């Protein structure tokens, strides 16, 4: 807590927080996880300045020195518009203001031109005497490969559904011993067996 006037300044009161002391332990903890596609950041809400680590810069194909100084506006420029707007949405900002952990997915443009899918986890880290949010800390995980696998699986699902939709509908009735007691022409065609020969057979 700060009480009383500072040298050469008017009377003030409030709380002082060492923001980097909050960011460093988080980076150390995440470094212990040793995730190869994870980067951390801290946003100064008022100025828009973003404190990035080298791992975050690597996620988008850059050296950290090439990005600095980096701001929230620079992040918006790298990010797909609707995703950037999602972070600015009132419900997200209100959750951060309340100190809640927020997760969302965004796409940032890689130095080579492709999109990088990032899963972000962030929360408010400091508030002023008036309750306004001052700092947000968070980390991003590259989930591009995961999203590509999901897209491929969904494409395979759609293909299988299409094949099922266009395939003839064959109907076969079996008795308790597994012998065919009835089949319609479509089923006989699928089994490549004349209906009169299929009756009584076990398939």
């Amino acid at each position: 807590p700060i009480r009383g006037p500072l040298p050469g300044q008017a009377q003030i009161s409030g709380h002082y927080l060492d923001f980097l002391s909050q960011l460093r332990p988080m980076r150390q903890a995440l470094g212990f996880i040793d995730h190869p596609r994870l980067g951390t950041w801290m946003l100064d809400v008022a100025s828009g300045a973003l404190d990035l680590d080298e791992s975050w810069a690597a996620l988008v194909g850059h050296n950290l020195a090439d990005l600095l100084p980096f701001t929230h506006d620079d992040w918006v420029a790298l990010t797909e518009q609707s995703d950037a707007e999602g972070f600015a949405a009132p419900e997200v900002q209100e959750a951060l203001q309340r100190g809640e952990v927020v997760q969302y997915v965004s796409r940032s443009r890689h130095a080579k031109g492709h999109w990088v899918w990032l899963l972000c986890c962030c929360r408010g880290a400091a508030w002023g005497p008036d309750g306004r949010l001052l700092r947000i800390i968070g980390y991003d995980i590259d989930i591009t490969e995961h999203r590509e696998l999901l897209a491929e699986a969904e494409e395979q699902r759609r293909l299988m559904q299409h094949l099922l939709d266009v395939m003839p509908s064959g109907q076969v009735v079996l008795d308790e011993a597994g012998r065919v007691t009835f089949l319609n022409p479509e089923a006989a065609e699928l089994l490549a067996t004349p209906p009169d020969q299929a009756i009584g057979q076990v398939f």
Side-chain angles (χ1 to χ4, degrees), residues 117 143-161:
W117 287 84
I143 59 170
T144 305
E145 184 177 345
H146 176 68
R147 296 286 303 198
E148 290 173 348
L149 289 173
L150 286 177
E152 183 178 346
E154 177 60 21
E155 179 61 28
Q156 291 295 325
R157 187 199 66 79
R158 286 197 296 264
L159 176 60
M160 290 299 299
Q161 186 62 53

Side-chain angles (χ1 to χ4, degrees), residues 17 23 37 42 57 63 78 86 93 96 101 106 109 117 122 139 148 160 167 178 188 190 193 199:
L17 295 175
L23 188 60
R37 298 189 179 95
M42 179 174 68
N63 294 319
L78 280 180
Q93 296 303 309
L96 291 170
V101 175
S106 65
R109 185 69 71 180
W117 287 84
C122 59
Y139 62 86
E148 290 173 348
M160 290 299 299
M167 284 178 63
L190 288 171
T193 304
I199 300 299

